[in-house]
Amino acid sequence: MKIVVCIKQVPATNEAKIDPLTKRIVREGLKAVMNPFDAYAVEEAIRLKEKCGAEVIVISMGPEKAQRCLREAVSLGADRAVLLSDRAFGGSDTWATSYVLSKAIEKIGQVDLVICGKQAVDGDTAQVGPGIAAHLDFAQATFVMKVEKVDRRHIRVQRMRENGYDVCDIKLPAVITVVKDINMPRVPTLKGRLASDEIDIPIWRPEDIKADIEKIGLDGSPTRVVKTQPPKARSRKTIRIEGSPQECAKQLAQRLREEDSISGANI
Amino acid sequence: MRITNLNEKLQYEDVWVVAEMLLDKIHPVTYELLGAARALADYGASRVGVIVLCSKEPENPTDLFAFGADKVIIVTNPQLKGFLDETEAEIIIRLIEKYKPEIVLGAASSRGRALIPRIAVKANCGLTADCTELGIDFESGDLLQTRPAFGGNIMAIIRSPNHRPQMATVRPGVMKSITPDYSRKGEIIYEKAKLNNQAAFKRIIESITKEENAVNLTQAQIIIAGGRGVKGAEGFDLLRELAAKTGGAVGASRAAVDSGWIPYEHQIGQTGQTVQTGTYIACGISGQIQHLVGMQSSALIIAIDKNPDTPMMQMADIAVVGDLFEIIPALVREI
């Protein structure tokens, strides 16, 4: 079995500080890390490899320094890694990004399963996973919380819904995106770390994956960012309520009535 | 579809909503999407269409007219009971090719987030996730799609100038439905679902629906959320009491969920749900940034905490300093 895991390097928001004035995250100087959801994708691939034997290949599209995330995945047990990096890829939206990743998966060849994290924490779109499936015309299952079993033709998964989950058999080859409930990612072993230091990570350019230059980068992307602006700031001051619990409750109940927030039948 | 000239662009007209279906029932988010679609169609003098995929005909399809639709396209097939991503995508792509809508809106639900991107890639058009505002660019007539990026720190305005249809998803609770007018009329069109090899992609063995289905955070007008300060599963009973009294829902921070005090479905924040509720009452939640990005767009934020200096107490509109174990029971008695 051949498994490809798609990962992305993102800014580390868990170290972020809040600007006291705008009450928004200060993004300057944030370290780059592997997208947290992708760690579950890597772990699930390695578990499948341990259970039924598989080759695990990690790929990422990004700047050359994104190699670090790929090495991290190798230190955890991935067999090899490929970086898709070129100026021509820059500015790709989710359509173009999923196109580039799908072309790389085609080049790798004979891939049975593609695993992605459910979404990246910087863009938050959750569009690249199903986008890859669409480009390759693979079956797909999103928000997978458990892989029950795999055979040569199918993978049985539990995929999450708002109010429950579906158990489905998905025809291979397929793309699945995983949520954090699926597993508990491991930490790398010393041996793994050494292996990841030594491994050679090839860089693939558009011509290596036979990508149509008109479908990649800013010009190949259907969507354009026209402009960005700060979100509407919360301009109100904080009103502080102190005193006995009864007094606090009285004032608060008063405010809730004014705001018309109470819709319960008990009033 | 990539557009190369104006004539091609003008062939695309209507504003479509992909109805969010839940076991053959129309989910309320559909009416919210219709509200947004109606406003866009009125601006551009075009019509609103709704696509309904189901295993048997839905009960009140004409309700969709009352909420702003001009036509309803219904596709029924026994296989469409569960959610088959690949099949539904193929059906909708065929409808898009036939009817050429200018704009297609879908729900940013677990279903929409799987289905809509598959359609967008196969139909070769742009897609913007989780839009908070939709408008029309006066000059070009393009759809202007506003969405938060980087955990809500930047709002990006996005358009797809050279591709049609223009697609966008919207989270439940973001757009407003119009006041229904049951005298409005429209056209119902039945289309056939030709299910070919797509159906072989996926087989749903069983669908488990959780009994405790009261977690409807995105629809709730008031949310009572608890964090580490709630101290345990019993503490959440107190929050439930207040929620029952106010007609609200119970939310939680990641700390409370990770401690096993309350299931993941209640989690609000970057790795949970994002809510934009009317009133958000944070009880014993310190306000880690990952939590704040999931609730900061709520209209009124109230924090209850012993410690007045937490990030949550500082960002709240109303900060109540005190013991939540005393204040909440008192509040329950007051209302």
Side-chain angles (χ1 to χ4, degrees):
Chain A
M1 192 175 189
K2 212 185 236 182
I3 304 174
V4 170
V5 184
C6 303
I7 66 175
K8 184 182 186 186
Q9 182 177 284
V10 298
T13 46
N14 55 352
E15 293 175 6
K17 299 221 159 33
I18 313 169
D19 184 316
L21 220 61
T22 60
K23 305 202 167 163
R24 302 285 166 178
I25 304 173
V26 181
R27 288 177 48 78
E28 285 74 41
L30 287 182
K31 221 170 64 191
V33 295
M34 189 198 295
N35 172 40
F37 291 113
D38 298 347
Y40 303 96
V42 172
E43 176 66 29
E44 200 57 28
I46 297 165
R47 286 187 186 197
L48 284 168
K49 170 183 164 179
E50 287 165 350
K51 216 185 299 172
C52 25
E55 184 189 12
V56 176
I57 304 137
V58 208
I59 65 173
S60 184
M61 185 180 92
E64 296 210 358
K65 61 177 186 179
Q67 276 192 23
R68 238 194 50 194
C69 293
L70 291 168
R71 285 193 195 282
E72 190 184 333
V74 170
S75 76
L76 294 165
D79 297 290
R80 57 191 173 102
V82 177
L83 180 66
L84 297 145
S85 193
D86 195 283
R87 210 169 267 272
F89 294 141
S92 293
D93 71 356
T94 59
W95 197 104
T97 301
S98 52
Y99 172 72
V100 170
L101 293 169
S102 72
K103 294 304 281 183
I105 291 161
E106 270 177 8
K107 181 180 160 83
I108 289 165
Q110 308 288 312
V111 172
D112 301 289
L113 184 63
V114 178
I115 311 183
C116 305
K118 72 159 181 154
Q119 66 200 62
V121 295
D122 53 353
D124 264 336
T125 69
Q127 282 169 195
V128 170
I132 296 169
H135 279 295
L136 294 168
D137 203 24
F138 280 12
Q140 68 178 47
T142 49
F143 311 117
V144 169
M145 52 192 265
K146 190 174 183 183
V147 172
E148 288 190 358
K149 60 177 185 183
V150 192
D151 61 36
R152 277 170 52 198
R153 295 220 179 115
H154 295 93
I155 178 167
R156 179 168 294 181
V157 300
Q158 295 178 4
R159 72 162 170 193
M160 228 165 150
R161 282 187 282 109
E162 277 77 5
N163 60 344
Y165 64 92
D166 294 330
V167 182
C168 339
D169 275 346
I170 317 291
K171 192 175 145 234
L172 296 177
V175 176
I176 64 171
T177 76
V178 300
V179 297
K180 66 184 205 121
D181 308 54
I182 196 166
N183 57 44
M184 180 68 90
R186 68 193 67 191
V187 289
T189 59
L190 183 62
K191 202 175 137 213
R193 269 188 216 281
L194 292 171
S196 73
D197 281 346
E198 279 164 20
I199 199 157
D200 182 39
I201 298 181
I203 296 176
W204 286 354
R205 312 275 176 199
E207 57 274 20
D208 297 318
I209 55 173
K210 298 194 174 71
D212 180 347
I213 210 83
E214 293 193 345
K215 292 182 175 174
I216 62 172
L218 197 59
D219 290 341
S221 297
T223 61
R224 298 285 144 83
V225 176
V226 185
K227 62 172 180 175
T228 59
Q229 59 191 37
K232 288 165 196 142
R234 300 187 76 82
S235 52
R236 285 159 297 180
K237 272 208 195 128
T238 303
I239 301 166
R240 190 179 281 196
I241 299 179
E242 280 169 292
S244 75
Q246 285 70 32
E247 263 168 61
C248 289
K250 200 166 256 167
Q251 283 189 52
L252 206 47
Q254 176 68 30
R255 273 307 295 262
L256 288 177
R257 269 190 288 272
E258 282 166 18
E259 290 286 332
D260 203 19
S261 353
I262 304 164
S263 60
N266 304 335
I267 341 166
Chain B
M1 172 86 179
R2 198 178 180 120
I3 300 295
T4 50
N5 61 57
L6 186 64
N7 270 345
E8 250 176 37
K9 203 172 190 173
L10 292 175
Q11 289 177 10
Y12 290 81
E13 280 184 300
D14 293 359
V15 182
W16 274 12
V17 168
V18 176
E20 175 76 1
M21 301 300 290
L22 202 73
L23 298 169
D24 287 336
K25 286 213 166 65
I26 296 166
H27 185 276
V29 68
T30 309
Y31 301 111
E32 299 169 12
L33 294 171
L34 268 175
R38 189 68 258 166
L40 294 171
D42 286 346
Y43 187 88
S46 66
R47 290 155 303 175
V48 174
V50 188
I51 307 302
V52 179
L53 304 188
C54 43
S55 70
K56 58 181 198 313
E57 194 165 332
E59 276 162 32
N60 301 310
T62 49
D63 277 6
L64 295 164
F65 300 134
F67 281 90
D70 299 305
K71 63 182 168 195
V72 178
I73 300 176
I74 299 177
V75 182
T76 50
N77 186 293
Q79 286 195 50
L80 293 174
K81 189 155 189 188
F83 169 45
L84 300 174
D85 320 38
E86 303 84 2
T87 310
E88 292 192 15
E90 264 350 278
I91 292 171
I92 294 171
I93 290 162
R94 278 206 294 268
L95 295 176
I96 287 173
E97 284 167 357
K98 180 171 175 183
Y99 290 94
K100 295 190 169 32
E102 189 183 13
I103 294 169
V104 177
L105 307 180
S109 57
S110 63
R111 175 175 172 272
R113 283 172 162 250
L115 175 64
I116 308 290
R118 191 169 177 104
I119 296 171
V121 162
K122 290 201 162 201
N124 191 12
C125 54
L127 166 62
T128 305
D130 295 338
C131 295
T132 53
E133 263 180 76
L134 294 167
I136 302 286
D137 180 45
F138 181 72
E139 261 173 49
S140 61
D142 290 343
L143 180 66
L144 293 178
Q145 307 157 93
T146 306
R147 80 174 300 260
F150 299 107
N153 283 275
I154 301 172
M155 301 306 282
I157 299 174
I158 292 166
R159 67 189 180 111
S160 305
N162 306 319
H163 293 75
R164 289 293 180 273
Q166 309 159 89
M167 300 184 70
T169 65
V170 179
R171 286 191 175 212
V174 172
M175 297 293 172
K176 289 216 157 31
S177 57
I178 60 170
T179 310
D181 169 4
Y182 290 94
S183 67
R184 276 193 93 241
K185 297 239 171 342
E187 180 189 5
I188 295 188
I189 300 168
Y190 293 92
E191 285 281 349
K192 285 209 169 61
K194 276 181 270 165
L195 304 183
N196 39 26
N197 60 337
Q198 299 297 327
F201 273 143
K202 179 175 283 129
R203 197 161 62 91
I204 297 174
I205 312 288
E206 59 178 329
S207 285
I208 314 291
T209 299
K210 289 193 181 147
E211 286 306 319
E212 193 208 1
N213 192 15
V215 196
N216 203 343
L217 290 171
T218 51
Q219 300 283 330
Q221 274 312 298
I222 178 164
I223 292 175
I224 326 289
R228 208 182 290 279
V230 171
K231 290 184 182 161
E234 305 78 39
F236 274 95
D237 289 338
L238 215 53
L239 270 50
R240 278 189 201 99
E241 224 176 296
L242 181 57
K245 199 84 187 257
T246 54
V250 174
S253 72
R254 181 174 171 174
V257 172
D258 284 353
S259 304
W261 301 341
I262 187 159
Y264 172 69
E265 288 82 15
H266 296 265
Q267 189 174 317
I268 291 166
Q270 193 162 47
T271 51
Q273 299 194 58
T274 302
V275 297
Q276 292 190 16
T277 185
T279 303
Y280 192 91
I281 307 184
C283 309
I285 297 178
S286 64
Q288 296 268 328
I289 187 71
Q290 286 84 352
H291 185 76
L292 299 184
V293 298
M295 46 63 72
Q296 63 189 1
S297 310
S298 299
L300 176 71
I301 297 171
I302 298 170
I304 305 174
D305 207 309
K306 273 183 188 163
N307 179 356
D309 300 320
T310 64
M312 181 62 88
M313 290 287 272
Q314 284 170 356
M315 77 99 67
D317 299 304
I318 302 174
V320 186
V321 188
D323 184 351
L324 67 95
F325 291 97
E326 291 178 353
I327 292 170
I328 293 176
L331 185 58
V332 169
R333 283 192 298 274
E334 281 295 329
I335 43 186

